[in-house]
Amino acid sequence: MNTETSYLGLKLKNPLIVGSCGLTNSVENIKELEKNGAAAVVLKSIFEEEILMEYYATVKNADSDELKYLDYYDYKIKQNNVQKYIELIKDTKKAVDIPVIASINCTSSHEWTYFTKKIEEAGADALELNIFMMPYMRDKTGTDNEKIYFDIIEKVKSQVKIPVSLKMSHYFANLGRFIERLSEKVDALVLFNRFYSPDFDIDNEKLFAGHIYSSKFEMHIPLRWIAMTHGHLHSDIAASTGIHSGADVIKMLLAGADATEIVTTIYQHGPGKIKSMLVELENYMKKHNYNSISDFKGKLSLKKSDNPSAFYRVQFMKYSDFEK
Ligand SMILES: Cc1cc2nc3c(=O)[nH]c(=O)nc-3n(C[C@H](O)[C@H](O)[C@H](O)COP(=O)(O)O)c2cc1C
């Protein structure tokens, strides 16, 4: 039995990638993730602002007006985050055999994109762009917002030869069509990102950060969209958010994902969770006599479904609709 999959042009020994988070921020942690079976890692993101600070401070000049608009300039430059990120890539590549995917959080196609070349030179196997603009901009339309995505991708793709993926949200009008259009421009899409959300403390009447970790029920959003778009896309797909068990990985593959990114379940159960998720996957494949992932990838997608209306139905008319 073979659990290999191809993602971003990389051969992965299985479909379990550890997504970008604090656990992928050190060589020691990443070695531990590899030891437990992770097929690849996405490094903790570096932020566009951090790269821009270096750009204005060193590539341009330190007195540049732009610097005045960047928060925490002194603090961050002293931290030397950009150089540290390059070293993290180089050191991780020396220490592990699995693919290492760098990650950048960005909101514009400004000068920071020069840095992607440095990431490539440092040896990253691929680059994941985490793009998000709050979809509430009074001076912009949805079309303006979408254009920013295409501008960033075009600029980054013109700088590097390594594969580029886009980790995106689901806050778009005509989401399915937008995913299709993006898939023509990147090597992979990560569906979907999950955000830090505000919550209210009603006793003190204050705002605080809501659930940092996902719940397993959140996996149904990516599941629907991966299943619905499977067969219409030009890029690979990684499923992300709410994947907490081997069964969840299998569901995402049945929907049509090429790989999965997991984070919360590793925070909650430790790196050993990867091993047990892989055992679940192998047992499933044995039980169904599948020799490879391609034997069942996309089997429950909309294109192959004998009940396509189940994907389109969103309102509960009567609860028994899905029991037919
Ligand atoms: C503590 C923590 C830090 C994270 N940092 C990043 C980050 O730097 N960049 C990023 O793209 N996503 C980051 N994420 C989001 C995760 O990569 C992932 O998209 C999200 O947690 C949903 O996956 P999950 O349900 O498996 O947790 C972070 C998540 C957590 C919990």
Side-chain angles (χ1 to χ4, degrees):
M1 189 206 317
N2 184 350
T3 58
E4 274 178 12
T5 187
S6 166
Y7 175 65
L8 279 171
L10 307 165
K11 197 161 110 182
L12 305 186
K13 61 187 176 189
N14 66 61
L16 274 124
I17 301 170
V18 178
S20 178
C21 66
L23 301 172
T24 58
N25 208 13
S26 83
V27 177
E28 282 320 302
N29 280 347
I30 294 169
K31 275 165 76 176
E32 195 58 26
L33 296 168
E34 179 185 44
K35 208 167 84 191
N36 281 281
V41 289
V42 185
L43 299 180
K44 172 86 185 142
S45 304
I46 185 159
F47 283 70
E48 168 185 327
E49 293 91 318
E50 294 176 275
I51 304 167
L52 276 176
M53 281 180 230
E54 186 205 64
Y55 177 80
Y56 290 128
T58 58
V59 181
K60 287 192 134 190
N61 70 71
D63 298 326
S64 161
D65 271 354
E66 287 95 334
L67 277 177
K68 297 189 186 107
Y69 299 104
L70 296 170
D71 289 342
Y72 310 121
Y73 163 66
D74 281 343
Y75 165 73
K76 291 279 187 179
I77 282 285
K78 279 182 198 139
Q79 299 276 308
N80 204 6
N81 286 351
V82 171
Q83 190 49 35
K84 278 187 192 157
Y85 202 71
I86 293 297
E87 277 158 24
L88 177 66
I89 297 171
K90 285 185 179 165
D91 293 345
T92 308
K93 281 300 294 174
K94 272 187 225 145
V96 298
D97 294 323
I98 54 174
V100 175
I101 303 169
S103 165
I104 301 182
N105 256 300
C106 50
T107 55
S108 81
S109 58
H110 295 155
E111 294 89 340
W112 67 266
T113 56
Y114 85 100
F115 183 67
T116 55
K117 258 194 228 131
K118 288 195 180 186
I119 283 180
E120 182 173 60
E121 285 159 13
D125 295 284
L127 171 63
E128 185 175 284
L129 297 173
N130 174 343
I131 308 180
F132 184 66
M133 273 84 57
M134 186 57 73
Y136 188 17
M137 293 175 280
R138 288 227 156 102
D139 56 340
K140 287 200 171 75
T141 64
T143 310
D144 297 333
N145 190 13
E146 289 177 9
K147 186 176 178 305
I148 299 171
Y149 283 73
F150 291 105
D151 288 348
I152 295 174
I153 293 164
E154 191 185 343
K155 194 105 172 258
V156 170
K157 289 288 279 179
S158 73
Q159 303 264 3
V160 293
K161 292 193 181 64
I162 51 173
V164 175
S165 61
L166 168 68
K167 187 181 191 185
M168 61 184 286
S169 78
H170 49 87
Y171 299 111
F172 294 95
N174 198 352
L175 176 62
R177 183 65 196 129
F178 188 53
I179 291 172
E180 282 180 21
R181 287 168 57 216
L182 286 167
S183 79
E184 291 167 14
K185 304 291 177 192
V186 288
D187 301 285
L189 290 166
V190 182
L191 308 180
F192 294 105
N193 202 356
R194 180 177 188 275
F195 304 101
Y196 213 65
S197 292
D199 198 350
F200 291 160
D201 169 348
I202 56 170
D203 291 324
N204 297 304
E205 300 189 342
K206 283 198 168 129
L207 203 78
F208 70 100
H211 299 284
I212 292 167
Y213 299 128
S214 65
S215 98
K216 64 187 177 122
F217 303 109
E218 293 175 51
M219 62 92 68
H220 297 286
I221 295 177
L223 187 76
R224 173 196 289 265
W225 289 100
I226 292 168
M228 288 188 81
T229 54
H230 179 69
H232 298 284
L233 305 184
H234 300 266
S235 72
D236 293 338
I237 292 290
S240 161
T241 294
I243 303 166
H244 287 203
S245 66
D248 295 342
V249 172
I250 295 160
K251 288 179 190 181
M252 291 302 185
L253 296 170
L254 284 165
D258 299 287
T260 57
E261 291 192 4
I262 52 171
V263 169
T264 288
T265 197
I266 312 292
Y267 271 104
Q268 291 177 334
H269 305 286
K273 182 70 183 178
I274 303 169
K275 263 190 197 157
S276 67
M277 290 169 84
L278 286 172
V279 170
E280 268 186 85
L281 173 63
E282 283 164 11
N283 287 343
Y284 169 82
M285 288 176 70
K286 249 183 241 156
K287 189 172 158 192
H288 291 264
N289 287 322
Y290 292 138
N291 293 317
S292 69
I293 301 281
S294 57
D295 288 350
F296 62 101
K297 190 166 74 181
K299 194 171 175 184
L300 295 187
S301 61
L302 172 63
K303 237 184 169 173
K304 297 195 179 153
S305 176
D306 52 10
N307 184 16
S309 63
F311 285 105
Y312 284 101
R313 169 141 299 186
V314 287
Q315 311 280 19
F316 294 98
M317 202 155 41
K318 48 184 183 185
Y319 188 56
S320 59
D321 271 0
F322 289 95
E323 289 161 7
K324 277 180 200 156

